[in-house]
Amino acid sequence: QKEVEQNSGPLSVPEGAIASLNCTYSDRVSQSFFWYRQYSGKSPELIMSIYSNGDKEDGRFTAQLNKASQYVSLLIRDSQPSDSATYLCAVQGGYQKVTFGIGTKLQVIP
Amino acid sequence: SAVISQKPSRDICQRGTSLTIQCQVDSQVTMMFWYRQQPGQSLTLIATANQGSEATYESGFVIDKFPISRPNLTFSTLTVSNMSPEDSSIYLCSVATGTFPYEQYFGPGTRLTVT
């Protein structure tokens, strides 16, 4: 059973702080990794993808991948109340199939 | 990214009936996927729908319950058959880009309530 583990939260951070979201996965042959943001009542929206070890930055978002530790994280700098949402970690294995974690609910407190 | 639409956006259906959900994409895509998201849960893949071949179903999902059509590279349908209240969920279609890392983009979803 291929699993993607996330802490369901909620994770509360004050406005302007760095939010750190973490994800572990069980399938060692996983090839690419995604972070999605899902607002309540909406469908998931792709934030970033990453497939090489290290950091990948896009604006206020940084994704970090460590394949040896089977660990993916997402950092959100200068968190805003509009960042309050559920963040889904997703892991792609063979045949382009993606497994999603349960998601971490982030609350940014003004 | 592709623009994806789904119809209907929501519906309330009686048990024992069937509902067909449509997914339309504004560009040609090879791979389309159907997911279910039950309240408070994450996304569960129902099946992969490739044009020109039978859909590939995940464990726990069968064609008789969730028949899928993929007549061309921009359109797919998912039917939820002989519905029960346990089928109440959000159903989402997604499409994948044709190149690595095959990012997936989601439609707005169909919220189904079975009474």
Side-chain angles (χ1 to χ4, degrees):
Chain A
Q1 180 75 15
K2 300 173 184 176
E3 294 182 348
V4 178
E5 301 285 343
Q6 293 183 260
N7 187 322
S8 62
L11 172 67
S12 295
V13 299
E15 183 175 355
I18 296 175
S20 178
L21 305 162
N22 304 315
C23 171
T24 59
Y25 60 95
S26 62
D27 186 359
R28 284 194 169 274
V29 300
S30 298
Q31 299 172 2
S32 48
F33 308 84
F34 309 94
W35 284 100
Y36 287 84
R37 177 175 61 197
Q38 187 173 27
Y39 292 112
S40 180
K42 301 294 186 181
S43 63
E45 172 192 7
L46 180 66
I47 299 173
M48 292 185 71
S49 63
I50 185 168
Y51 51 87
S52 299
N53 279 325
D55 295 0
K56 180 181 179 182
E57 186 175 318
D58 184 359
R60 295 186 297 112
F61 299 96
T62 299
Q64 299 174 318
L65 174 60
N66 184 325
K67 290 184 179 180
S69 300
Q70 296 175 242
Y71 178 88
V72 192
S73 65
L74 179 71
L75 301 178
I76 306 174
R77 290 181 298 281
D78 188 23
S79 295
Q80 302 297 309
S82 58
D83 295 325
S84 298
T86 296
Y87 289 80
L88 302 169
C89 173
V91 176
Q92 184 179 90
Y95 302 104
Q96 301 170 27
K97 284 173 50 175
V98 174
T99 302
F100 285 82
I102 195 167
T104 299
K105 185 173 184 178
L106 173 67
Q107 296 176 339
V108 180
I109 311 300
Chain B
S1 62
V3 176
I4 307 167
S5 60
Q6 282 186 238
K7 291 182 182 179
S9 58
R10 59 178 63 227
D11 208 340
I12 301 173
C13 301
Q14 293 191 341
R15 71 168 66 216
T17 63
S18 298
L19 176 72
T20 295
I21 302 168
Q22 299 179 7
C23 179
Q24 179 76 52
V25 190
D26 69 343
S27 58
Q28 293 185 338
V29 293
T30 300
M31 303 203 70
M32 294 181 75
F33 305 86
W34 286 98
Y35 289 85
R36 181 172 73 181
Q37 187 173 31
Q38 296 185 305
Q41 303 293 316
S42 190
L43 283 75
T44 301
L45 181 64
I46 298 172
T48 301
N50 292 334
Q51 195 267 338
S53 63
E54 295 286 330
T56 303
Y57 290 84
E58 297 301 300
S59 175
F61 298 96
V62 295
I63 188 171
D64 290 346
K65 175 69 174 177
F66 297 101
I68 288 171
S69 77
R70 183 79 199 275
N72 57 51
L73 291 174
T74 64
F75 187 78
S76 179
T77 66
L78 169 75
T79 299
V80 186
S81 303
N82 188 25
M83 288 184 285
S84 67
E86 292 70 37
D87 294 320
S88 297
S89 186
I90 298 173
Y91 292 85
L92 295 148
C93 71
S94 74
V95 302
T97 61
T99 55
F100 185 83
Y102 306 110
E103 296 169 339
Q104 286 191 25
Y105 297 89
F106 286 86
T110 296
R111 183 180 295 272
L112 171 62
T113 302
V114 184
T115 61

